[in-house]
Amino acid sequence: MSSSNASSSSSIPPPPSKLPPPTGNWFVDAYQSITHIGDVPCARNSLLGGIASGLGIGIVRAMSACASYLVGRKVFQTEISSAAFVAGNWACATFVVISLGSFQICQNKLAKERESVTRIIESMPRRVVKQGDDQDSSTTTSD
């Protein structure tokens, strides 16, 4: 039974890809991946979510850090620049964590969906259509 599953799963083609095939050269492959980033499933949404989250957290962190420096005392330039540095670190870290997390969640969801589609296709009965016998069998069964 496992041999029939292996043969039927090998007959199912892989999902179509808009990405160019890998060349084996790391630099060329990296450049092609960057130029075709919108064609990678889940990449656009995860990057946009990461950018929005990083920007939001960076702004909130900068406002909170600068507000604590501005309360009732003279502000030095180094304090504001360190607050901006800290806010930038928070923004970059948030971007990376949210982007990678949402990309991984989306990829797992797509893999589960592909597995369920493959399972459904494998469970469907195989229909064999005979080319010339369809008309003959319909006339003989009507007796």
Side-chain angles (χ1 to χ4, degrees):
M1 182 169 185
S2 64
S3 63
S4 66
N5 287 342
S7 64
S8 64
S9 65
S10 64
S11 64
I12 299 171
S17 176
K18 296 178 185 176
L19 295 174
T23 61
N25 186 346
W26 188 85
F27 293 108
V28 172
D29 290 343
Y31 176 73
Q32 287 179 349
S33 296
I34 290 171
T35 56
H36 294 93
I37 193 73
D39 297 335
V40 175
C42 305
R44 182 178 183 271
N45 290 338
S46 62
L47 286 174
L48 287 175
I51 290 170
S53 300
L55 183 66
I57 293 294
I59 288 173
V60 167
R61 184 67 178 143
M63 288 172 49
S64 67
C66 287
S68 65
Y69 287 127
L70 295 176
V71 175
R73 63 185 178 92
K74 189 175 181 181
V75 179
F76 297 106
Q77 183 66 30
T78 58
E79 293 175 342
I80 292 179
S81 64
S82 68
F85 184 73
V86 168
N89 286 341
W90 275 82
C92 290
T94 303
F95 164 73
V96 168
V97 168
I98 298 295
S99 294
L100 290 178
S102 62
F103 182 77
Q104 187 64 37
I105 289 169
C106 185
Q107 288 292 320
N108 287 342
K109 189 188 314 180
L110 281 178
K112 287 179 182 177
E113 184 178 340
R114 286 182 186 133
E115 288 176 9
S116 66
V117 167
T118 303
R119 200 174 323 118
I120 290 170
I121 289 174
E122 288 176 351
S123 68
M124 292 174 60
R126 300 281 181 210
R127 296 185 182 179
V128 178
V129 178
K130 296 181 181 177
Q131 294 294 330
D133 294 337
D134 288 340
Q135 294 174 352
D136 296 335
S137 63
S138 65
T139 58
T140 60
T141 58
S142 62
D143 294 315

